[in-house]
Amino acid sequence: MSIIKALKLTHEYIHRDDEGNVDSIETALDGVDLDIAEGDFIAILGHNGSGKSTLAKHMNVILSPSDGTMWVDGKDTKDEDKLWEIRQTAGMVFQNPDNQIIAGIVEEDVGFGPENIGVPTSEIWTRVDNALAAVHMEKYRNHSPNKLSGGQKQRVAIAGVIAMRPKCIILDEPTAMLDPVGRQEVIETITELNKKEGVTVILITHYMEEVVNADKVFVMDHGKIVMQGTPREIFSDIKTLKEHHLDVPQVTLLAHELKEAGLNIPDGVLTEEELLHILCQLS
Amino acid sequence: MSIIVNHVDFVYSEGTNTSQHALKDVNLQIKDGEFLGIIGHTGSGKSTLIQHLNGLLKPASGEIYYNGRDINDKDFSRKELRSKVGLVFQYPEYQLFETTIFEDVCFGPKNQGLAPKDAGLRAFEALRNVKLPKELYYQSPFELSGGQKRRVAIAGVLAMKPEVLILDEPTAGLDPQGRDEILEELARLHREQNMTIILVSHSMEDVAKYVDRLIVMDDGRVAYDGTPREVFKHYEELKKMGLSAPQVTYLMHDLKKRGFDVDEDATTVAEARDTILAYLGKSR
Amino acid sequence: MLRDITIGQYYQADSVIHELDPRVKLLGTFAYVISVFIFRNIPGFVLMTLFIGLCIKLSKVPFKYMVKGLKAIVFILLLTGVVNLFLTPGAPVFEWKFIAISKQGIYNTIYMMTRLTYLVIGTSLMTLTTTPTRLTDGMETGLGFLNKFKVPVHEIAMMMSIALRFIPILIEETDKIMKAQMARGADFESGNIIKKAKSMVPLLVPLFVSAWRRAGDLAMAMEARCYNGGEGRTRMKPLRYCRTDYIAYLIMLIYMALMIVLRVIF
């Protein structure tokens, strides 16, 4: 079953001058075809300006297609009657942790979404309790978000989305503003949600280490999907990745360079353990 | 000539219930022409430390000397200090305010008291240094991409011709290409103009690749001070401080444990590759 | 520094006053403010002091903490004092060159400064003991009847609570931009008023740009979480009166009655 599907999806940002005449047209998405299966952990990679954030915004109907179609859980995003249903199905977490927390207390912020969709009071509490437990933030439920670390704030934002019981969570560069500890917290949290609760995760990032455990990786450039496959397949082709201004984790690069130097090492080594194992067998 | 940090202590909001002892007896000597890295997890005191180096914060006790003079002395003018020690904050693109990029970069030199013409020359040089395309110079800074804005903001400090350039996570939030461009630029300034560069970073791979000397801050103290190779030897202790070492460090130590006679202190991909090839070549 | 401003910030404690329904506190503050304006003699003053003193005691907010909040208004306080002291006409009790102080002037000064201090203490007690969300909830429910007159009560309440949440963030940001510009040689302190105003541009433009960006981000995040105005919303923490709230209303009523009696009789 596909949860998110796009067919020839195109998005154009139209810039106008002071008189309202069209000044220039920037094609952010250029005929994207996409099919994401329910329950998968998907990573979308690309440098800044490659169109990956624009794609994410279509999944939550913050943007509407200039051309082509996008379906979320079978619903066409151009269908205005389905707007709130789609937003409930596909929740979104943004980059800046400060700019997406609305309430002054953690638990009230998590309850914000359910309040908006008219969930009865007693059920809001159950949902908030469960959502906070899912991101391991129960201890901080009465805290002010201003006193939390970046990673903790992002976990609160994730809980806020979980409380709306979505089938799918889209995270638009959720770790870009975090330190390594916070980054790890967020990645662990979403991995657990995907494995335990079966929520489809769509992670948009440019940190390669974060995608090694994904089921499938898409690479975007110039508004198009230019590579897709398992992380191993993607990381096997370092040359093409570099052409799209991306790099690979240190061990993948090391394995690649050792192979170039004549050692018998396969393409697309993903983890340190893997390379260790291969080298031990070689000697 | 150098910067000397002598027994510096600093406390935020002293005497209130939110007070925070951010620096505890910090001692350092930074020599001219060094490329120094500072790492530490959030709240370890690294940002507080660099704000002391150009006088934005004053130590509660202890002194900071720049070329032998106490920077908090009354007769050491702030203007002079800030001309010599340039500080680029985290997300510096949020400080841009002028109508054109060129004007914005002129702000620093003008504050130094330079005539408009000289300030302009400085701005051109700085913008050239950060490799911003010429056709953008007279555009609004708010229309640039994130990476370009960041480079304009760095140019704004470079135009003041500092002897020491301090940058607080200059690559945060940038994509790999943007990151490499800025780091290469810093390496070039260090190499060609012998500028002292102090780089605060979260990326162990980056510091391992670029800096000569690495300082690790933990809980307001200097925990380690040495070359990246020396510091990353303590990868297990670093982990307890919420820090990691570059990925290859772990691999090299694990190889050593399995009986590989390799240089376990290698921190970059090139070093690791050479030592592994050398060992395997020998054992064959 | 900027981050030391405490006025209007919530102070976490476990007290009867904290627990009260925000509508009670809003109405109570309103009543108290009226009483501050109608008292005019010693018995009234004593009763008012007893009332607010008791409230502070019950709230468990340290008195020292409240006084710290007063620092922000010291200037206004002194200005009111000076204006009243020198500009009130009447028979002078003290004269020196063109300065004249009348008995009425001294009386007015004490009266006005007391009023202002008590006003700030009383209103800040409300914000110190009520979270922004509870406060706006209270306003929304308590003033809900205004909806009939086409006043967008929910929207105003939501705007207020968001503003309150972002105050600390913007204060921190101001601090950061100020330092960044100082590192570029900006001088915010010296010079005359015009020069000072000019020197604020490098601070205000980035601050405005950033606030604008944050507002855009926040609006997008709210929309993504299905926010669609007040209609059809449920509440996680609906307001319900309990016994203490009724008792508080009763105490308030008695207090107001006594204040009025004291004003009329004496």
Side-chain angles (χ1 to χ4, degrees):
Chain A
M1 213 341 235
S2 76
I3 178 95
I4 285 177
K5 202 172 159 185
L7 199 64
K8 300 213 163 30
L9 182 69
T10 300
H11 190 89
E12 288 167 341
Y13 289 107
I14 299 173
H15 301 281
R16 290 174 193 279
D17 60 16
D18 297 338
E19 278 109 48
N21 302 316
V22 175
D23 193 25
S24 64
I25 295 177
E26 183 193 335
T27 310
L29 290 179
D30 190 0
V32 171
D33 293 331
L34 188 72
D35 197 346
I36 292 172
E38 199 168 345
D40 269 1
F41 190 122
I42 300 292
I44 300 180
L45 286 169
H47 63 84
N48 292 342
S50 59
K52 57 191 197 306
S53 282
T54 308
L55 180 63
K57 285 177 187 139
H58 278 271
M59 298 176 185
N60 191 262
V61 215
I62 288 169
L63 293 175
S64 213
S66 307
D67 202 8
T69 318
M70 168 145 252
W71 294 272
V72 176
D73 201 21
K75 299 172 194 91
D76 187 337
T77 61
K78 273 186 298 234
D79 188 347
E80 280 180 27
D81 298 336
K82 299 272 164 59
L83 175 68
W84 304 109
E85 267 179 71
I86 294 176
R87 286 195 177 151
Q88 220 173 302
T89 313
M92 185 127 174
V93 175
F94 298 88
Q95 188 188 86
N96 189 326
D98 276 325
N99 297 357
Q100 55 184 320
I101 295 179
I102 291 111
I105 286 182
V106 167
E107 63 175 17
E108 288 177 7
D109 187 73
V110 178
F112 179 75
E115 282 183 339
N116 289 336
I117 52 177
V119 175
T121 301
S122 61
E123 205 199 318
I124 296 182
W125 283 92
T126 341
R127 285 191 181 201
V128 169
D129 291 346
N130 293 341
L132 283 172
V135 301
H136 307 296
M137 286 291 289
E138 304 100 314
K139 262 202 316 212
Y140 299 91
R141 64 182 308 151
N142 288 316
H143 283 231
S144 153
N146 292 331
K147 300 261 158 77
L148 302 179
S149 73
Q152 290 172 331
K153 283 184 208 166
Q154 274 315 43
R155 277 152 65 199
V156 172
I158 294 171
V161 170
I162 299 288
M164 296 173 73
R165 303 258 164 94
K167 288 188 180 166
C168 158
I169 304 183
I170 302 129
L171 303 105
D172 189 3
E173 298 194 38
T175 58
M177 299 182 75
L178 306 182
D179 64 9
V181 179
R183 215 178 281 163
Q184 204 183 342
E185 276 173 37
V186 169
I187 297 301
E188 275 169 11
T189 306
I190 56 176
T191 310
E192 194 183 319
L193 279 175
N194 176 255
K195 298 279 168 299
K196 277 197 191 155
E197 323 261 333
V199 181
T200 313
V201 169
I202 299 170
L203 173 68
I204 291 162
T205 184
H206 49 236
Y207 292 112
M208 306 301 275
E209 312 86 69
E210 293 173 358
V211 313
V212 287
N213 292 318
D215 294 311
K216 199 169 178 189
V217 179
F218 294 90
V219 178
M220 288 192 71
D221 201 359
H222 300 296
K224 291 192 172 92
I225 288 177
V226 288
M227 294 169 87
Q228 54 179 302
T230 61
R232 195 175 301 283
E233 285 161 8
I234 299 288
F235 285 177
S236 297
D237 193 353
I238 293 179
K239 200 173 137 266
T240 316
L241 279 172
K242 291 229 152 135
E243 279 165 21
H244 297 298
H245 306 304
L246 293 170
D247 60 5
V248 292
Q250 262 193 336
V251 279
T252 310
L253 187 63
L254 177 60
H256 175 74
E257 291 200 359
L258 289 172
K259 187 189 173 214
E260 299 269 282
L263 294 187
N264 181 21
I265 289 177
D267 276 324
V269 172
L270 296 175
T271 62
E272 190 243 323
E273 292 82 35
E274 211 178 322
L275 184 57
L276 182 68
H277 186 69
I278 294 166
L279 286 173
C280 285
Q281 283 184 334
L282 272 182
S283 67
Chain B
M1 288 296 147
S2 59
I3 298 175
I4 294 171
V5 178
N6 189 33
H7 296 292
V8 165
D9 255 64
F10 185 76
V11 186
Y12 279 108
S13 316
E14 192 156 16
T16 67
N17 54 353
T18 54
S19 90
Q20 199 187 343
H21 202 162
L23 292 180
K24 299 170 186 164
D25 192 31
V26 173
N27 293 290
L28 273 181
Q29 181 167 8
I30 302 164
K31 291 192 200 70
D32 261 4
E34 266 189 320
F35 197 146
L36 177 76
I38 301 181
I39 61 173
H41 68 87
T42 312
S44 60
K46 56 192 195 313
S47 291
T48 311
L49 174 64
I50 57 170
Q51 287 181 38
H52 275 82
L53 299 183
N54 82 340
L56 283 171
L57 293 176
K58 250 189 208 166
S61 68
E63 307 86 36
I64 294 152
Y65 298 95
Y66 184 75
N67 290 351
R69 289 165 63 201
D70 185 342
I71 64 164
N72 290 306
D73 242 17
K74 263 186 245 120
D75 53 333
F76 200 136
S77 98
R78 288 284 100 135
K79 210 172 228 173
E80 189 192 341
L81 175 66
R82 284 175 195 155
S83 299
K84 294 204 161 134
V85 183
L87 174 56
V88 179
F89 274 84
Q90 212 179 355
Y91 299 105
E93 57 272 30
Y94 295 153
Q95 73 194 29
L96 303 175
F97 69 98
E98 276 286 5
T99 44
T100 71
I101 290 166
F102 179 73
E103 282 295 318
D104 205 286
V105 178
C106 283
F107 181 66
K110 276 187 187 159
N111 285 330
Q112 285 176 299
L114 290 182
K117 196 183 145 203
D118 297 325
L121 287 174
R122 289 272 194 93
F124 276 127
E125 193 190 333
L127 285 167
R128 250 200 322 274
N129 261 330
V130 297
K131 299 215 174 74
L132 193 79
K134 270 209 181 66
E135 59 272 20
L136 296 177
Y137 286 10
Y138 295 100
Q139 283 195 8
S140 159
F142 300 109
E143 284 165 14
L144 298 177
S145 74
Q148 286 173 329
K149 275 188 200 163
R150 180 89 41 108
R151 280 187 278 156
V152 170
I154 293 175
V157 175
L158 277 180
M160 297 171 76
K161 290 234 170 188
E163 292 165 4
V164 179
L165 183 64
I166 309 171
L167 304 101
D168 193 355
E169 290 189 53
T171 60
L174 295 184
D175 59 19
Q177 192 190 12
R179 178 199 66 202
D180 289 346
E181 279 170 5
I182 283 182
L183 291 174
E184 283 302 327
E185 198 46 54
L186 295 177
R188 203 179 57 79
L189 284 168
H190 174 243
R191 202 170 51 233
E192 290 175 6
Q193 306 184 10
N194 199 32
M195 196 182 276
T196 311
I197 294 187
I198 301 175
L199 175 71
V200 175
S201 178
H202 277 318
S203 165
M204 304 304 150
E205 281 81 8
D206 290 350
V207 290
K209 198 164 158 193
Y210 289 96
V211 308
D212 312 323
R213 177 179 162 202
L214 189 56
I215 285 168
V216 181
M217 295 290 295
D218 184 47
D219 192 25
R221 290 192 176 86
V222 175
Y224 296 106
D225 182 350
T227 62
R229 291 170 66 93
E230 287 162 3
V231 170
F232 288 131
K233 267 184 197 160
H234 306 281
Y235 67 104
E236 276 158 338
E237 289 89 344
L238 287 175
K239 193 162 195 165
K240 283 179 206 137
M241 297 174 189
L243 298 170
S244 55
Q247 251 188 332
V248 296
T249 304
Y250 298 100
L251 177 72
M252 299 318 285
H253 280 90
D254 285 342
L255 282 174
K256 187 87 178 181
K257 277 183 210 148
R258 305 276 168 101
F260 278 58
D261 183 23
V262 290
D263 172 13
E264 79 265 41
D265 297 333
T267 54
T268 65
V269 171
E271 284 170 8
R273 178 197 60 206
D274 292 346
T275 175
I276 291 173
L277 286 176
Y279 168 73
L280 288 177
K282 240 185 272 167
S283 65
R284 256 180 216 168
Chain C
M1 271 326 252
L2 282 165
R3 62 174 80 186
D4 291 334
I5 293 175
T6 55
I7 197 164
Q9 295 288 334
Y10 179 65
Y11 184 95
Q12 166 87 50
D14 193 12
S15 82
V16 193
I17 304 282
H18 282 77
E19 300 265 291
L20 281 180
D21 189 288
R23 285 169 292 181
V24 177
K25 281 188 268 190
L26 274 167
L27 197 69
T29 310
F30 186 63
Y32 170 78
V33 168
I34 294 176
S35 78
V36 168
F37 279 99
I38 63 167
F39 96 91
R40 60 172 180 191
N41 47 29
I42 300 292
F45 174 74
V46 171
L47 180 60
M48 194 171 75
T49 310
L50 278 175
F51 178 72
I52 192 70
L54 185 72
C55 289
I56 293 173
K57 184 89 192 136
L58 283 173
S59 76
K60 295 187 185 161
V61 178
F63 189 63
K64 243 169 69 187
Y65 194 83
M66 300 205 61
V67 173
K68 231 175 85 188
L70 277 177
K71 274 187 198 159
I73 61 147
V74 161
F75 178 72
I76 305 173
L77 209 57
L78 286 178
L79 189 75
T80 324
V82 170
V83 167
N84 275 294
L85 193 60
F86 296 117
L87 299 182
T88 312
V93 285
F94 173 83
E95 245 177 317
W96 182 71
K97 290 189 180 167
F98 58 89
I99 295 172
I101 296 173
S102 66
K103 198 176 161 196
Q104 189 62 33
I106 296 172
Y107 177 74
N108 274 3
T109 305
I110 296 171
Y111 190 46
M112 290 308 289
M113 284 174 78
T114 316
R115 262 187 181 171
L116 211 59
T117 313
Y118 271 64
L119 201 67
V120 173
I121 288 183
T123 42
S124 62
L125 184 66
M126 177 178 70
T127 50
L128 281 165
T129 58
T130 321
T131 63
T133 342
R134 295 262 295 164
L135 197 61
T136 46
D137 273 358
M139 279 181 53
E140 196 178 336
T141 331
L143 303 176
F145 65 92
L146 287 175
N147 266 328
K148 285 192 196 112
F149 306 101
K150 299 250 154 84
V151 180
V153 180
H154 167 79
E155 280 73 13
I156 293 172
M158 179 60 83
M159 266 157 56
M160 277 189 51
S161 80
I162 288 173
L164 283 169
R165 155 148 163 72
F166 275 85
I167 285 173
I169 294 177
L170 288 176
I171 287 178
E172 205 172 294
E173 185 134 319
T174 312
D175 204 43
K176 226 160 65 186
I177 297 172
M178 216 159 155
K179 276 185 179 163
Q181 304 298 30
M182 274 157 76
R184 292 211 283 165
D187 184 356
F188 293 107
E189 275 127 35
S190 58
N192 57 22
I193 282 199
I194 296 171
K195 204 175 156 223
K196 260 190 187 164
K198 250 185 163 170
S199 74
M200 295 308 273
V201 173
L203 175 64
L204 293 177
V205 173
L207 199 61
F208 183 77
V209 170
S210 141
W212 192 254
R213 187 175 38 85
R214 282 183 193 281
D217 279 6
L218 193 70
M220 195 160 68
M222 287 171 75
E223 245 189 82
R225 282 163 77 184
C226 295
Y227 179 70
N228 190 21
E231 231 166 288
R233 272 192 110 221
T234 43
R235 297 194 158 274
M236 182 178 176
K237 296 176 178 173
L239 296 177
R240 258 185 230 110
Y241 284 126
C242 61
R243 231 176 54 154
T244 22
D245 296 315
Y246 292 120
I247 296 171
Y249 271 134
L250 192 70
I251 293 172
M252 249 156 59
L253 207 69
I254 297 170
Y255 169 70
M256 276 315 279
L258 281 173
M259 281 306 280
I260 292 167
V261 168
L262 284 175
R263 184 184 162 101
V264 175
I265 293 178
F266 293 96

